[in-house]
Amino acid sequence: MSQAHYATQGEVAVITMDNPPVNGLGLALRTGIVEGVRRAQADPAIKAVVLTGAGKAFSGGADIREFNTPKALTEPTLFTVIRTVEQCAKPVVAAIHSVAMGGGLELAMGCHYRVAVPSAQIALPEVKLGVIPGAGGTQRLPRLVPLEMAVNMIVSGNPVKSEKFKGTRLFDEIVEGDLLAGAVAFARKVVAGNRGLPKVRDLKVEHDDAEAFLQFARNTVKTVAKNFPAPARCADAIAGALGESFDAGLARERAMFLEMVQTPESKALRHAFFAERAASKIPDVPEDTPTRPIATAAVIGAGTMGGGIAMNFANAGIPVKLLEVKQEALDRGLATIRKNYENSAKKGRMSAEDVEKRMALIQPTLAYEDIGSADIVIEAVFEDMPVKEAVFRKLDEVMKPGAILATNTSTLDVNRIAAFTKRPHDVIGTHFFSPANVMKLLEIVRGEKTAKDVLATTMQLSKKLRKTGVVSGVCDGFIGNRMLEQYLRQGLYMLEEGASPQQIDRAIEKFGFAMGPFRMSDPAGNDVGWFIRKRRYLEQPNLKYPKVADRLCELGRFGQKTGAGWYRYAPGKRDALPDPAVDALIAAQRKEIGVAPRKISDDEIVHRLVFALVNEGAKILEEGIAARASDIDMIYLTGYGFPLWRGGPMLYADMAGLYNVVNRMADFAANPHGDAAFWTPAPLLARLAAEGKGFNG
């Protein structure tokens, strides 16, 4: 069945692209467009062609389902489609509604004329995948809109509304009302007026000093996007539009596109793009699984985490009841929420009216009975099992049948928590990351009795809350924190071996992490890790754990909240300042355990930290806690500050080569002070390395 439907309205042929969900330009659609144009050209009764899209888009660009398959390069390619349209002997009008992005916009710019509805989203977003537009985008757009506008669009990849192009050559008409009727009427005017077949390739870039501006743009993007080479290469490709030959500029663009596709940064960005989409697919939960309605919510606990979770619901327009046991705690939580909203208003991100609307959606209460009608309740109380037990036994009493009971625990056993209720099938983990109203990640923890519709509903809810939901099985720490524990352990070992907190933080931040392990621990609270370690000592007495962090906590250095942790903090400030007292504490610990400090390279620091994540991630994969390696990467990209341009720990290991990872781990195992047992490769890692394979296929 053709994905390009052909119809006629008198002397105008209408070709409608129909490849849901966004009319991706896959092989079948490309073929259908070419056949439609040739059919119109061969019919003497047809005087003009309108090209439009069915559903919710003109075209979102390439069909991502064909990425890395032979179909992506099979003729007719997008180049051939655009050439066919451009060379048609009858005027072709692109009629754009909703979305024209990437290859979709490049196709529209290959048409002789373009009309659009107001508020259509127009973009060349290829840079967000680490590449440049590859089908004429860098050559045609600067010929149609002011150079500054074209450069900004291409190097940022951000969408612009169609009405912003008024007065430019991109759109010949903005159509109010019915787009197709307006486009057909416009096509008839073109024919009646004998307006010809204008081609974008024949236009010139208009700018008083284009070379100087492009050099300024290069300098700017190299500074701002230093870890991403694509923005600067976009500026280089645009420079080709200033030359005498359109075809030479087009060939140069294509060569750069093929060059950028091979960069590790592009591979990482494309991996993240697909990983985010894959994370929403749960292998044994069909996409058409019925979901439960979520019209109202409740949150238990008005602290930093509970308040942030409540803000997520208010931001999504969902009324939420916020429960606390004491009025003063409730008042304090509401005051913090209001302050957060007012700070956003001061920055122009929302209006004063928006602040009041969102505050009105958050209803405070001190009584459990007030929340019983909520469709979902999320517990965000202290990370202690007896406390969780009391809360869930009470929720089991008061919540209506069918309500979802969620826990925000970051490490505790969701199956045990579910067992405190008579409805374990309704219980799920929703691990938000702090600050919950900002961080994108939502780790969705599936208990052994969690119902499939509860899981599907929670995943759907994550999208409404603008979160990236990733499913984890039940284990201590789930995916993210279980891996993080090994990362932090290696950091502590290296302190005892000779590194300083500043050196370790600097090395991993230079690698690209948002924060090093010690700068991260201080804001989170070092007492949180201490509490977990105390539990570890009881549950796993054979676990080897460096004691330097315990010594720090024994001095009351819990981080920013006490003014001292691995760093010291001036009153009212968050700047992490090196503290000689910490150096002395570490030196005393080395002396106590008999370790002579040695020089540790930044390379060793980075790879001990990252490969600790990788090895634990391999165990998590083999145990089925994570469904796929890319889920682990998505958790670290969106919740733990792993550098986006490196694609996540598992992809980083793949690109390094698992054979090389295993050999490097053998070097770490030979360290007399380290934990040799930990550096035994996980069975999955060892097997894949031996087979010459990677985690991501």
Side-chain angles (χ1 to χ4, degrees):
M1 182 176 177
S2 176
Q3 293 180 352
H5 307 310
Y6 187 92
T8 60
Q9 293 193 21
E11 62 184 2
V12 178
V14 177
I15 300 171
T16 304
M17 298 181 284
D18 189 6
N19 180 23
V22 292
N23 297 323
L25 293 162
L27 177 59
L29 179 53
R30 298 195 305 268
T31 302
I33 295 169
V34 170
E35 289 174 351
V37 171
R38 293 177 68 83
R39 179 177 173 182
Q41 185 157 292
D43 185 348
I46 296 300
K47 305 301 181 186
V49 179
V50 169
L51 177 64
T52 191
K56 61 183 181 180
F58 173 78
S59 173
D63 190 332
I64 63 173
R65 292 165 293 196
E66 290 188 0
F67 274 32
N68 301 318
T69 72
K71 284 186 176 181
L73 299 176
T74 301
E75 290 287 359
T77 65
L78 183 54
F79 275 101
T80 300
V81 176
I82 293 173
R83 185 173 64 247
T84 300
V85 168
E86 188 178 55
Q87 293 179 351
C88 181
K90 299 173 182 180
V92 180
V93 180
I96 295 168
H97 67 92
S98 301
V99 171
M101 293 188 178
L105 178 57
E106 289 175 307
L107 172 59
M109 291 190 292
C111 295
H112 304 116
Y113 300 94
R114 290 156 297 281
V115 300
V117 298
S119 298
Q121 298 288 308
I122 309 300
L124 289 172
E126 289 85 352
V127 70
K128 295 186 176 183
L129 296 181
V131 295
I132 70 171
T138 66
Q139 303 306 296
R140 289 188 173 93
L141 190 62
R143 288 173 158 87
L144 289 168
V145 304
L147 183 59
E148 291 88 345
M149 189 179 197
V151 170
N152 287 338
M153 284 182 65
I154 294 169
V155 302
S156 72
N158 295 330
V160 177
K161 290 185 177 179
S162 53
E163 58 264 35
K164 298 286 186 182
F165 298 98
K166 190 174 182 180
T168 74
R169 297 184 288 200
L170 181 59
F171 293 121
D172 298 279
E173 194 171 286
I174 298 296
V175 177
E176 301 283 353
D178 185 273
L179 173 65
L180 182 56
V184 170
F186 178 83
R188 288 177 176 145
K189 284 192 293 185
V190 166
V191 173
N194 196 25
R195 291 171 57 176
L197 305 170
K199 297 180 177 62
V200 176
R201 64 164 51 234
D202 296 332
L203 300 174
K204 297 294 183 185
V205 175
E206 296 179 356
H207 194 279
D208 292 338
D209 195 347
E211 291 284 3
F213 174 74
L214 282 174
Q215 188 54 51
F216 168 77
R218 286 189 191 95
N219 294 340
T220 301
V221 296
K222 283 178 181 176
T223 301
V224 174
K226 58 184 178 180
N227 294 306
F228 298 92
R233 294 300 274 162
C234 284
D236 292 340
I238 292 168
L242 306 181
E244 289 297 315
S245 168
F246 177 87
D247 288 326
L250 199 64
R252 186 173 181 226
E253 176 196 78
R254 187 62 182 171
M256 288 185 186
F257 172 84
L258 294 173
E259 169 200 326
M260 297 308 299
V261 166
Q262 299 304 318
T263 63
E265 292 85 1
S266 177
K267 291 176 182 176
L269 290 171
R270 283 181 281 132
H271 172 73
F273 177 84
F274 287 110
E276 185 167 11
R277 281 146 186 81
S280 65
K281 301 182 190 307
I282 307 165
D284 65 331
V285 179
E287 289 190 27
D288 60 355
T289 299
T291 57
R292 303 184 187 186
I294 302 294
T296 59
V299 175
I300 312 297
T304 301
M305 183 60 76
I309 295 171
M311 288 177 71
N312 281 308
F313 284 101
N315 294 345
I318 300 172
V320 56
K321 290 182 177 175
L322 185 60
L323 185 147
E324 257 294 355
V325 293
K326 293 182 180 178
Q327 187 67 49
E328 60 189 89
L330 191 55
D331 292 342
R332 188 166 54 247
L334 288 169
T336 300
I337 291 171
R338 177 171 286 279
K339 183 179 178 182
N340 287 339
Y341 278 138
E342 288 176 346
N343 285 340
S344 293
K346 286 177 185 175
K347 295 173 183 174
R349 294 174 184 163
M350 65 174 64
S351 67
E353 184 182 3
D354 289 333
V355 172
E356 297 309 321
K357 282 181 180 177
R358 296 188 193 190
M359 288 302 301
L361 288 168
I362 302 173
Q363 304 157 26
T365 182
L366 297 172
Y368 271 91
E369 289 71 24
D370 288 344
I371 69 170
S373 62
D375 297 314
I376 185 170
V377 56
I378 299 178
E379 160 276 309
V381 301
F382 189 66
E383 190 76 341
D384 181 70
M385 189 62 85
V387 176
K388 307 279 191 191
E389 178 177 1
V391 169
F392 272 82
R393 290 194 185 281
K394 187 66 178 177
L395 292 177
D396 195 33
E397 291 176 19
V398 303
M399 299 307 297
K400 69 180 182 181
I404 295 175
L405 314 184
T407 173
N408 182 57
T409 182
S410 58
T411 56
L412 299 179
D413 188 338
V414 172
N415 293 327
R416 277 189 64 194
I417 292 172
F420 299 140
T421 76
K422 297 182 183 69
R423 39 176 147 176
H425 55 284
D426 289 335
V427 178
I428 195 166
T430 51
H431 178 206
F432 288 80
F433 286 69
S434 187
N437 56 304
V438 175
M439 294 296 285
K440 193 177 178 185
L441 176 64
L442 178 61
E443 203 173 25
I444 298 171
V445 186
R446 180 183 193 174
E448 62 183 13
K449 294 184 179 178
T450 300
K452 289 184 179 181
D453 68 331
V454 169
L455 189 58
T457 302
T458 307
M459 180 61 77
Q460 185 183 79
L461 177 63
S462 73
K463 295 177 182 177
K464 288 183 183 176
L465 300 183
R466 295 189 174 183
K467 302 293 182 187
T468 298
V470 182
V471 175
S472 169
V474 174
C475 66
D476 200 326
F478 316 129
I479 297 171
N481 282 346
R482 174 173 160 181
M483 292 169 62
L484 186 70
E485 183 172 358
Q486 303 307 324
Y487 169 91
L488 294 173
R489 281 180 74 218
Q490 287 305 313
L492 296 174
Y493 275 124
M494 287 186 281
L495 285 187
E496 292 187 344
E497 293 170 34
S500 68
Q502 301 94 278
Q503 183 196 358
I504 293 172
D505 285 345
R506 274 197 310 267
I508 199 68
E509 287 166 13
K510 186 177 179 183
F511 175 79
F513 269 75
M515 275 187 169
F518 301 106
R519 281 214 310 130
M520 177 185 68
S521 294
D522 276 358
N526 296 314
D527 52 329
V528 176
W530 195 25
F531 181 83
I532 293 171
R533 288 194 301 278
K534 288 176 180 177
R535 183 160 59 88
R536 289 281 182 273
Y537 299 151
L538 294 174
E539 296 171 353
Q540 302 178 47
N542 296 325
L543 181 68
K544 186 177 178 182
Y545 222 117
K547 294 294 192 289
V548 63
D550 294 352
R551 302 289 179 266
L552 188 84
C553 290
E554 287 163 5
L555 297 176
R557 298 181 67 108
F558 296 152
Q560 283 184 2
K561 59 189 173 187
T562 59
W566 295 107
Y567 297 88
R568 62 184 176 85
Y569 301 88
K573 296 189 176 180
R574 296 185 177 184
D575 299 325
L577 306 172
D579 193 341
V582 174
D583 297 335
L585 181 148
I586 294 169
Q589 177 66 13
R590 289 172 187 153
K591 186 174 181 181
E592 181 181 325
I593 61 177
V595 172
R598 66 180 177 87
K599 184 176 176 61
I600 300 178
S601 70
D602 285 359
D603 181 77
E604 179 181 343
I605 289 170
V606 165
H607 288 98
R608 279 178 68 174
L609 294 177
V610 174
F611 290 167
L613 294 175
V614 170
N615 200 40
E616 195 66 24
K619 295 174 185 177
I620 285 169
L621 266 179
E622 192 147 41
E623 293 168 21
I625 301 299
R628 51 186 79 85
S630 62
D631 284 358
I632 295 174
D633 287 335
M634 191 49 49
I635 281 176
Y636 265 81
L637 291 172
T638 57
Y640 291 87
F642 200 96
L644 178 60
W645 67 90
R646 297 191 189 276
M650 311 311 280
L651 182 73
Y652 180 78
D654 283 349
M655 291 202 288
L658 298 192
Y659 175 85
N660 298 323
V661 172
V662 167
N663 282 343
R664 194 72 191 274
M665 287 170 57
D667 295 339
F668 298 151
N671 175 6
H673 180 66
D675 184 359
F678 171 75
W679 290 115
T680 301
L684 176 63
L685 172 56
R687 185 168 67 253
L688 291 174
E691 295 171 355
K693 297 179 180 177
F695 292 116
N696 290 283

